[in-house]
Amino acid sequence: MSGALAEYAGFATLWKRFAPETPFGRAARASAGPITERAALEERWDLTDEALRLLDALDSDRVRLDRIRHHMRRIPRFPESPREAFDEVELFQLKKLLANHRRLLDLLPEGTKARFGLAPLPEALHALLGTGREGDETFHVADAYDPELASVRSEIRRADATAAALRAARDEALRARCGLALGNRPFLLVPREALGEPAGVSDLLDVEPWDATRLCVRPRPSVAELRIGEEKAALLARERGIEARVLRALSAPLSEALPLLLAQAGAVERLDLALAGARLAREARLVRPVLRDGPVRIVGGRHLPTEELCAELGTPYTPLDAVFDGGPTVVFGSNMGGKTVVLKTLALLQLAAQSGLFVPAALFETRVFRRFHYVGEGRGREAERGLSGFGFEVRQLAEAHADFGDETLALFDELARTTSSVEAEALLSALLGELAARPRTVAVFSTHFRGVRRLPGVTYLRMAGLDRARLELGPEGDDLAARIRRIDLLMRYRLEPDDPGERRSDAIAVARLLGLSPGLARRAEELLHDHDEKD
């Protein structure tokens, strides 16, 4: 995602809920960036619609849906390049893929399979890895793969049985002579007096002093045990050679079929991403965006982090209705009036749309942007040590300015608020004049500087602000949370056209609601009135 804009928009609140279930889908999510091709976006949304239809159809068959999700989760990563010989773990992964892919296709409707490009894999591959009595999700090189392998393993078992019998005979002799039993242990610490005379067991044990009171005894293999050990080592070498031959024989057809397997992995990924998007659309009440060549239009847009915060605080949330045409838009309003949430809502909707997701709105008509910029607070300054806040904003502005001729979405939240109002208004006016001639760039500015020039090609809006007809300060001593809630209840968080002749500000009223001394607030209002009359 576009890092600065995504952080500003709180996009992670939505993105973390987008949860693919296959390794292919999770990898695609981790590497995702804005999709900048219109056809690719439409295809992603079409697939999400198809997944929604599937979920609707399975609402009455939750068992089947759970089984679909189970088999999708069971599909593993597998080798993506051919090998002369896959190892047993890789063959296990391929077999697990084949088994769960088959089960998945058995559960999906024909139309869904066709839409996502899901098709059966050759039965010969299933048979190839299913030799021997094994389950769908287990694999080893079974005896049935090669008659010589079965014979060698039979000889190994006989050698093991002979070696076990020789060890048992030695243990019986040890118990008879000195009451010891080593079993399969490589050594044993025993009291010195337990052996009596060590020479009496030298044919069965190697004996070494351990400390002042104990001896370390190890089994001394007999000639017969040494011979059977050598025979077994030779048999194991033969077994490894035959297994390698089997692995090469199995790997050849699987390597040849790898393009087909990878194609089906891509189909599973498409289904996984679509189902994840569909589940999110249901849970968060998202709708499909609409791509248009005209203005960006939002009806009922919801900034999810703010909506969730309002729910926690018990305050009403006002969705956004807005139109942003090509060129710049200026949004005026006092602090706490909702200007920033307007910008964040637009950013969240656009990033969601260009991530291939549906969006939290009743309607979102937009275009495809290739560049994204955010200029304002909230960006780290680690790489720009020594710059003031204004200096850092200028650096951000320079980055954005280079893309103003492209399909660019640029958001400016209180640009130049740390410099003088006269200079800030001049800078904003110059920017607006330039952007008015760049309709491919949609730029939205939030500001409380009322001296910005009124220019052709620029849209000027304002937040409706406090409902002064219902303005009440409430009882003294209210805690801060109660005061903030009262502001939220009185504030009208909607956009309306700005009247350049109206010099209205809610800042002092908001300050009073937050607990500013009434006398100080009255004096500030008098001074503001005197200033407006002089202007």
Side-chain angles (χ1 to χ4, degrees):
M1 274 303 99
S2 178
L5 190 65
E7 182 179 356
Y8 173 70
F11 182 63
T13 299
L14 182 64
W15 189 243
K16 70 183 179 183
R17 296 171 64 179
F18 176 60
E21 297 182 312
T22 69
F24 319 118
R26 290 192 294 270
R29 180 190 183 280
S31 62
I35 300 171
T36 57
E37 297 300 326
R38 181 170 185 153
L41 276 175
E42 295 283 12
E43 173 66 6
R44 181 70 71 85
W45 297 335
D46 285 347
L47 293 177
T48 302
D49 275 332
E50 182 69 28
L52 280 167
R53 286 190 285 272
L54 176 62
L55 293 179
D56 290 343
L58 293 177
D59 276 340
S60 59
D61 192 351
R62 301 299 298 179
V63 172
R64 188 177 183 188
L65 178 59
D66 289 344
R67 290 174 63 199
I68 289 171
R69 296 184 68 178
H70 168 78
H71 288 296
M72 291 189 70
R73 293 187 191 111
R74 298 295 297 170
I75 290 177
R77 278 284 192 192
F78 60 92
E80 297 183 0
S81 56
R83 308 266 205 284
E84 180 183 356
F86 294 117
D87 63 30
E88 287 194 56
V89 172
E90 292 168 330
L91 290 174
F92 160 72
Q93 293 168 334
L94 289 163
K95 184 177 181 182
K96 189 174 179 181
L97 166 71
L98 291 167
N100 285 285
H101 179 270
R102 174 195 271 173
R103 299 289 182 269
L104 179 62
L105 264 61
D106 289 344
L107 293 164
L108 291 172
E110 291 300 321
T112 300
K113 289 186 284 190
R115 184 64 184 87
F116 287 93
L118 288 158
L121 292 166
E123 283 299 319
L125 297 180
H126 292 275
L128 185 69
L129 297 179
T131 301
R133 295 181 178 179
E134 299 182 64
D136 284 343
E137 294 193 13
T138 61
F139 178 81
H140 76 284
V141 181
D143 293 358
Y145 279 110
D146 192 299
E148 186 181 354
L149 180 60
S151 175
V152 167
R153 286 177 173 169
S154 178
E155 292 182 50
I156 290 171
R157 288 192 292 273
R158 284 196 295 271
D160 285 339
T162 301
L166 291 170
R167 286 195 302 271
R170 183 189 62 232
D171 275 5
E172 182 61 31
L174 279 172
R175 276 192 294 270
R177 293 190 200 180
C178 54
L180 293 179
L182 275 94
N184 290 322
R185 287 173 290 192
F187 69 91
L188 194 64
L189 298 179
V190 300
R192 287 178 177 269
E193 61 273 13
L195 288 184
E197 181 56 47
V201 291
S202 59
D203 58 327
L204 301 175
L205 295 173
D206 288 325
V207 182
E208 297 176 1
W210 181 260
D211 56 26
T213 62
R214 291 176 298 175
L215 298 172
C216 178
V217 297
R218 291 184 175 84
R220 171 173 288 183
S222 65
V223 172
E225 286 180 281
L226 291 172
R227 184 176 65 251
I228 202 69
E230 291 173 357
E231 291 175 2
K232 181 178 177 180
L235 290 168
L236 290 172
R238 283 182 61 198
E239 180 188 36
R240 288 192 295 271
I242 299 167
E243 287 177 343
R245 185 173 71 205
V246 171
L247 292 175
R248 287 193 297 272
L250 294 175
S251 299
L254 287 166
S255 289
E256 186 178 345
L258 209 53
L260 181 59
L261 301 180
L262 290 170
Q264 284 303 294
V268 169
E269 177 187 317
R270 289 191 293 274
L271 176 62
D272 188 23
L273 293 175
L275 283 171
R279 289 193 299 270
L280 178 57
R282 283 180 148 202
E283 294 165 5
R285 297 180 292 115
L286 311 182
V287 302
R288 177 173 176 155
V290 178
L291 292 181
R292 295 276 189 265
D293 293 330
V296 176
R297 184 180 176 213
I298 301 170
V299 177
R302 292 151 39 227
H303 183 248
L304 297 182
T306 303
E307 185 181 43
E308 291 173 5
L309 179 61
C310 287
E312 291 175 11
L313 297 175
T315 58
Y317 175 78
T318 304
L320 174 65
D321 296 333
V323 177
F324 301 103
D325 211 337
T329 297
V330 180
V331 179
F332 295 108
S334 300
N335 291 332
M336 300 184 72
K339 303 187 304 296
T340 293
V341 176
V342 169
L343 271 63
K344 288 184 174 184
T345 303
L346 171 58
L348 176 67
L349 297 181
Q350 191 65 43
L351 290 176
Q354 289 198 234
S355 299
L357 302 179
F358 286 9
V359 299
L363 174 69
F364 183 51
E365 294 179 348
T366 188
R367 64 176 79 169
V368 177
F369 294 102
R370 299 186 180 278
R371 301 286 184 270
F372 300 87
H373 290 283
Y374 162 63
V375 180
E377 285 189 327
R379 292 185 56 176
R381 301 184 185 179
E382 300 306 320
E384 306 286 352
R385 294 181 185 275
L387 285 180
S388 65
F390 177 69
F392 189 67
E393 285 183 339
V394 170
R395 291 295 302 162
Q396 297 174 32
L397 176 58
E399 293 174 10
H401 188 269
D403 291 330
F404 281 174
D406 201 352
E407 295 289 347
T408 298
L409 176 65
L411 304 182
F412 300 83
D413 196 356
E414 299 283 8
L415 178 64
R417 62 191 159 296
T418 58
T419 192
S420 74
S421 61
V422 174
E423 290 176 312
E425 288 163 354
L427 177 58
L428 284 168
S429 299
L431 264 175
L432 293 172
E434 179 174 340
L435 284 164
R438 306 284 183 94
R440 293 174 66 191
T441 294
V442 172
V444 184
F445 295 77
S446 75
T447 186
H448 59 271
F449 293 129
R450 296 290 305 179
V452 174
R453 296 286 180 88
R454 303 286 166 151
L455 302 171
V458 181
T459 301
Y460 298 88
L461 304 173
R462 71 180 178 198
M463 303 307 299
L466 286 172
D467 183 355
R468 291 175 177 266
R470 298 190 301 117
L471 190 60
E472 297 176 359
L473 298 183
E476 293 294 333
D478 275 5
D479 62 24
L480 180 60
R483 291 179 180 275
I484 292 174
R485 187 172 185 276
R486 185 173 295 110
I487 293 172
D488 288 338
L489 293 172
L490 292 172
M491 195 71 74
R492 296 168 298 175
Y493 296 109
R494 67 172 186 269
L495 284 171
E496 56 187 31
D498 181 64
D499 180 356
E502 184 176 353
R503 303 295 296 270
R504 185 182 68 186
S505 173
D506 292 328
I508 297 173
V510 168
R512 294 182 70 185
L513 288 168
L514 288 173
L516 185 69
S517 161
L520 185 58
R522 280 194 299 273
R523 179 56 180 154
E525 288 172 343
E526 291 167 2
L527 292 171
L528 179 63
H529 179 70
D530 291 345
H531 181 272
D532 289 344
E533 285 188 341
K534 289 177 183 178
D535 287 350

